[in-house]
Amino acid sequence: MNFDEIIDRKGTHSAKWDMMDKLYNVPADDGIAMWVADMDFRPPACVQGALERMVSHGIYGYYGGDAEYRAAICWWMKERHGWEVDPAAIFTTHGLVNGTALCVDTWTEKGDGVVLFTPVYHAFAKVIKANGRRVVECPMVLESGRYEMDFDAYEDILDGTEKMVILCSPHNPGGRVWSTDELRQVAEFAKKHDLILVSDEIHHDLVMPEAKHTVMANIEGIEDRLVMMTATTKTFNIAGGHSGNVIIPDEKLRADFNAKMMGLGISANSFGIEMAEAAYSPEGAAWVDALVAYIDGNRKVFDAGINAIPGLKSMGLEATYLAWVDFEGTGMSREEFTRRVEEDAKIAANHGPTFGTGGESFLRFNLATPRAYVEQAVERLQRAFADLQ
Ligand SMILES: Cc1ncc(COP(=O)(O)O)c(C=O)c1O
């Protein structure tokens, strides 16, 4: 568990490092990749061990007998989140973008509206649009530097053709951990507008020490319209395994989803399952605790350095490793602050507008990297915006 170790990922088909030149014009040799949400850390030894056992056995046939895998998920959710999961409620998809697409396809028709609280994880809108549904943006408001939902304003936005709402909990990119009160309001909103509520909780293990995440499944009275999405991939840095869990408490909704999975011929791959089962273990839990402490240290270094630059504001992270930085106070155009970050500081960071309304003046920086990179990034940004000091 040496999160300070710099592991060279260049030339390994890493999207984060090997695509930054093409996508952001940030040179591979001395650029710092701080965009897509994967980490520059190896997963815990228990995950490596599971893969090594597969490799040394050397036969990669179809997977069968997933009782232990389901039991590991149930153990983790109970132990880490106080959530009792019925093993029969779990469906394994090829990741949670795939899970989102399956939900949209199962419970909405072409032309239906799907509500998003923006700015939010960009793949939601991409998947909704690619399936011929409409994105209904409900912009969040900034209150004392953090995002909140404004349900009164949303009454004027919805027109009754919406069928689903997707909540990102904890929130990417704002790093919010929603309070139980806020979760209850989302549940009430879903009920009032007769929406299926999809709660994407892929970041729910990466919660900073001062915050407390509540799983939506523990909010009463929403079971009959709730779809939970969880995964080991963000938590343990195994996104290449393309595996996620869609967990559905209600039996009727479960039958709908099962029919869609059958219709599309979807079954899980053994690599994702073996890694997840190994990860959801006491050893995996100890590793996550150490990881969160490390990210907590990184965000403190980053925030202190960034907030010292006049005009830049890094939003206080309650969860995730994704820092959401507002450049509005610089008075610069989006092109200019982005140019300084990419050309001058040589940092690849996600562009705010891809997250929808409200993201225009932001860039998102991935802090799940050795501290030395975070420190270098801060120095480079301070230099790139030195004229504001
Ligand atoms: C909220 C959210 N959901 C889903 C994903 C991606 O999930 P997957 O890799 O399982 O498709 C991400 C990745 O950043 C995310 O932030």
Side-chain angles (χ1 to χ4, degrees):
M1 261 192 243
N2 176 11
F3 298 111
D4 282 327
E5 183 185 353
I6 300 213
I7 302 168
D8 187 2
R9 300 182 63 193
K10 288 171 213 150
T12 64
H13 293 286
S14 151
K16 190 181 182 185
W17 289 89
D18 290 331
M19 297 299 285
M20 72 173 162
D21 198 350
K22 182 161 181 232
L23 298 176
Y24 294 96
N25 258 323
V26 173
D29 52 351
D30 63 345
I32 306 180
M34 299 184 89
W35 63 291
V36 65
D38 74 23
M39 308 197 268
D40 298 320
F41 310 129
R42 288 200 182 91
C46 52
V47 172
Q48 299 284 59
L51 286 176
E52 278 160 16
R53 278 192 297 280
M54 288 176 84
V55 169
S56 66
H57 186 251
I59 297 178
Y60 308 103
Y62 291 115
Y63 187 87
D66 63 3
E68 286 152 334
Y69 163 69
R70 285 172 191 267
I73 297 169
C74 296
W75 175 81
W76 184 268
M77 296 308 161
K78 176 86 180 95
E79 182 78 12
R80 304 288 289 188
H81 298 285
W83 173 26
E84 298 272 2
V85 173
D86 174 354
I90 302 167
F91 295 87
T92 300
T93 61
H94 296 296
L96 291 189
V97 174
N98 180 223
T100 306
L102 286 163
C103 289
V104 166
D105 201 22
T106 304
W107 291 294
T108 70
E109 304 283 338
K110 283 211 187 300
D112 286 346
V114 179
V115 176
L116 299 179
F117 303 110
T118 62
V120 74
Y121 176 52
H122 41 71
F124 292 158
K126 274 190 210 137
V127 158
I128 294 165
K129 289 179 193 160
N131 279 290
R133 277 66 166 172
R134 284 179 305 109
V135 174
V136 179
E137 288 198 331
C138 285
M140 294 185 295
V141 288
L142 274 174
E143 286 294 339
S144 312
R146 67 210 284 263
Y147 284 121
E148 291 189 1
M149 287 169 277
D150 181 359
F151 291 98
D152 289 339
Y154 304 157
E155 290 304 311
D156 295 334
I157 295 175
L158 271 62
D159 67 7
T161 59
E162 301 78 13
K163 293 284 161 29
M164 176 175 283
V165 54
I166 305 178
L167 177 72
C168 194
S169 178
H171 192 80
N172 166 16
R176 271 300 314 274
V177 170
W178 305 113
S179 68
T180 46
D181 224 43
E182 287 170 313
L183 295 175
R184 277 193 206 105
Q185 288 179 59
V186 174
E188 284 311 312
F189 172 80
K191 281 195 244 176
K192 180 170 182 191
H193 295 281
D194 196 15
L195 308 172
I196 295 284
L197 169 53
V198 177
S199 187
D200 180 334
E201 305 201 7
I202 199 167
H203 296 280
H204 72 178
D205 295 311
L206 305 174
V207 173
M208 294 302 116
E210 74 277 11
K212 168 91 184 72
H213 173 80
T214 303
V215 292
M216 187 54 105
N218 282 350
I219 298 296
E220 272 174 29
I222 192 70
E223 316 71 57
D224 60 342
R225 58 179 69 248
L226 178 64
V227 177
M228 295 285 296
M229 299 205 301
T230 66
T232 47
T233 48
K234 288 291 134 182
T235 311
F236 295 95
N237 200 30
I238 49 180
H242 270 291
S243 191
N245 292 307
V246 177
I247 304 179
I248 307 177
D250 181 77
E251 291 200 15
K252 157 82 180 62
L253 296 183
R254 236 182 254 178
D256 296 341
F257 197 78
N258 190 45
K260 182 59 66 185
M261 296 267 293
M262 297 277 284
L264 292 170
I266 294 179
S267 58
N269 82 68
S270 56
F271 294 92
I273 293 206
E274 295 282 8
M275 283 197 281
E277 185 182 328
Y280 280 161
S281 63
E283 189 184 330
W287 184 89
V288 173
D289 291 341
L291 169 73
V292 168
Y294 192 83
I295 292 169
D296 184 24
N298 277 1
R299 74 163 167 156
K300 286 177 179 147
V301 168
F302 186 80
D303 286 355
I306 295 307
N307 292 335
I309 305 172
L312 269 64
K313 182 86 196 83
S314 176
M315 199 170 279
L317 274 188
E318 296 164 339
T320 82
Y321 48 73
L322 305 163
W324 187 233
V325 179
D326 193 356
F327 288 77
E328 180 152 45
T330 61
M332 293 174 194
S333 67
R334 199 168 70 72
E335 290 69 26
E336 174 58 10
F337 70 72
T338 307
R339 190 201 60 73
R340 288 187 183 210
V341 171
E342 293 173 355
E343 259 179 64
D344 298 346
K346 297 192 180 135
I347 296 173
N350 287 84
H351 295 175
T354 57
F355 297 82
T357 298
E360 296 77 6
S361 60
F362 287 82
L363 291 174
R364 193 192 72 175
F365 294 79
N366 181 338
L367 304 183
T369 194
R371 187 139 321 144
Y373 278 137
V374 175
E375 287 164 349
Q376 264 184 50
V378 166
E379 275 169 34
R380 289 182 185 197
L381 289 167
Q382 288 183 340
R383 243 180 292 128
F385 292 90
D387 54 335
L388 302 179
Q389 315 264 358

